[in-house]
Amino acid sequence: MGWGLVRGGTRLPRAVRLLVVARAVNRLGAFSLSFLTVLITTRFGAGAAVAGCVSAAFGVATIPSRLAGGRLADRIGRRRTIVLGLTGCAVAQLGLAAADSLATAACWAVLLGLVFEIYEPPSQGLIADVVAPGEQVRAHGLLNAALAAAGMGAGLLAAGVGRWDLRLLFVVDAFTCLLCALAVRLFLPADRRVAAAATDQASSVAPWRDAALLRMLAAGTLLAVIYLQIMIMLPLTLDHGGLRPSDAGLLFTTSAVTITAGQPLMRWRRLAALSAPAAFTAGHLLLALGLAGYGFAHGLLAYLTSTVVWSAGDLLLVGRAYTIVASLAPAGGKGRYLAVYGTSWGIAGVAAPLAGTQLLEHAGPAGLWSAMALACLLLAALQPALLRATALPRTHHERRPAAAELSDGSTR
């Protein structure tokens, strides 16, 4: 049986469905980073600024991690790279859980950053390889829905386990990383040997010289800063307002429920027919409204309502940027292009904790979340123009076929 696209849009390729299941297993424990700053402040007695610096160091380390993941994905294959990255994450998570000093915890946080993003470019590259461009938003939507469904259990698990000991969150995260790595190794199609000609072609890819990609990277970095504020600053915001930081797990679960329940709505003709500029604009406006609600929330119910609103915006945004970036890449270069775009999360990982902790300390929750809402409004205004510029004719590389095939007979 081939691993190519099932025609007619009725069913996604088996490789994508298996990847979705494996990543969902990993997502069940992928909540620990949201509590890294809280762990630093509560276990080691550090201030918010120190915790922000540790998170920023983690963010710096994810930049070479993402680039290495893209290069490895194009050279040694998607499956090997995913397994390598997940195994490294598990080791580093266990190191953080066992750390007995602030310096040791900071070192493990940096090491975690160096492996944390390795599996992302091959995961996204696999979808781009086997799914036609017209189906890629749907494929990313399926992945996001599965991660959100798993996130329901993750949020509840975080809320429960976090009340005992925050270090246990990192242990559970490590365990699910290993489970995901095992599932990928056993069930995803084997990597094919890369021909010398393909290796030479991949080596000639120059994503940092592609103006269209760099424009996408700029917008993606701002959006990543916004998302990371939710991950990193929401527990601290709750603590600032007299609520339990672990209640962030309930909010993440609410987001997951919203995203999962909203997936069928995305099949409605009007929503499915939205152009990319319209979807980006509407999504960013909903994000702005929800995050503005965080700034003036007093009580858990208000936080829950705001979470539902911004999560509805996330539904409209997921997967669209990665589909556009994959379409920009030359043959043999999707992993590198997706990796360069993915460095937006590393850059944001540096900026978000530094800016977020300073905003929270000097402007309070209202100032922090109002600033994020304004950033969303900026993206809503600029994204259509950016997409029009990205769609201009491109002559610097040869276009690759709409979807590639992965074969059962790949060499192991």
Side-chain angles (χ1 to χ4, degrees):
M1 164 182 175
W3 292 85
L5 178 70
V6 176
R7 301 296 177 189
T10 58
R11 198 178 192 192
L12 292 169
R14 184 173 177 236
V16 173
R17 288 181 277 121
L18 290 172
L19 176 66
V20 166
V21 172
R23 290 293 304 273
V25 170
N26 178 224
R27 180 66 180 91
L28 281 171
F31 42 64
S32 58
L33 276 183
S34 298
F35 298 92
L36 177 59
T37 53
V38 180
L39 178 71
I40 296 298
T41 56
T42 58
R43 177 164 172 76
F44 302 111
V50 173
C53 288
V54 173
S55 291
F58 166 86
V60 170
T62 64
I63 297 176
S65 173
R66 176 80 69 149
L67 295 174
R71 184 176 291 272
L72 289 170
D74 287 340
R75 286 183 173 271
I76 69 173
R78 314 304 196 204
R79 190 178 73 173
R80 293 188 187 95
T81 306
I82 294 172
V83 171
L84 177 66
L86 288 169
T87 303
C89 283
V91 172
Q93 295 273 18
L94 292 174
L96 262 172
D100 57 2
S101 69
L102 177 60
T104 303
C107 289
W108 280 113
V110 172
L111 288 173
L112 178 60
L114 290 172
V115 294
F116 190 75
E117 298 284 356
I118 286 177
Y119 68 86
E120 284 291 355
S123 298
Q124 296 151 5
L126 178 64
I127 292 176
D129 286 342
V130 301
V131 180
E135 293 285 330
Q136 286 181 20
V137 171
R138 185 166 76 92
H140 283 288
L142 173 64
L143 177 61
N144 197 53
L147 297 181
M152 297 179 199
L156 294 175
L157 193 58
V161 174
R163 292 174 190 269
W164 293 340
D165 192 331
L166 290 177
R167 292 175 297 175
L168 291 178
L169 297 175
F170 293 87
V171 174
V172 174
D173 202 344
F175 177 69
T176 58
C177 282
L178 292 176
L179 279 181
C180 183
L182 180 62
V184 167
R185 177 63 183 82
L186 293 178
F187 301 118
L188 276 191
D191 297 313
R192 295 175 298 177
R193 283 204 180 98
V194 181
T199 301
D200 292 341
Q201 185 180 38
S203 299
S204 66
V205 172
W208 292 106
R209 298 181 183 179
D210 190 326
L213 175 61
L214 296 181
R215 286 192 291 267
M216 290 296 297
L217 174 60
T221 299
L222 181 55
L223 185 61
V225 168
I226 295 166
Y227 276 123
L228 285 182
Q229 296 295 0
I230 299 173
M231 290 181 60
I232 297 171
M233 299 306 302
L234 190 52
L236 286 177
T237 299
L238 293 174
D239 186 51
H240 193 280
L243 299 172
R244 290 178 179 270
S246 59
D247 285 340
L250 297 177
L251 300 181
F252 297 147
T253 300
T254 300
S255 175
V257 171
T258 303
I259 292 170
T260 304
Q263 283 299 316
L265 299 178
M266 298 305 295
R267 295 178 178 270
W268 284 6
R269 189 182 346 181
R270 288 189 177 181
L271 288 178
L274 277 178
S275 66
F280 274 114
T281 298
H284 289 136
L285 289 176
L286 286 170
L287 276 176
L289 182 60
L291 296 183
Y294 277 167
F296 302 96
H298 296 287
L300 192 57
L301 180 60
Y303 279 103
L304 290 169
T305 303
S306 297
T307 299
V308 171
V309 174
W310 73 253
S311 297
D314 187 49
L315 268 173
L316 295 173
L317 298 175
V318 64
R320 295 184 185 275
Y322 290 111
T323 301
I324 293 170
V325 170
S327 73
L328 298 175
K334 282 187 178 179
R336 300 274 294 279
Y337 264 61
L338 289 166
V340 167
Y341 177 73
T343 60
S344 58
W345 291 96
I347 299 169
V350 179
L354 294 177
T357 51
Q358 290 299 314
L359 282 169
L360 183 62
E361 186 172 338
H362 295 98
L368 167 64
W369 297 113
S370 294
M372 295 304 103
L374 287 174
C376 291
L377 293 176
L378 178 63
L379 284 173
L382 295 181
Q383 193 84 54
L386 184 151
L387 292 177
R388 285 193 295 271
T390 301
L392 291 175
R394 298 163 55 77
T395 59
H396 71 286
H397 61 65
E398 180 183 353
R399 305 301 299 169
R400 72 175 297 175
E405 297 287 333
L406 290 178
S407 170
D408 269 338
S410 300
T411 303
R412 292 185 182 274

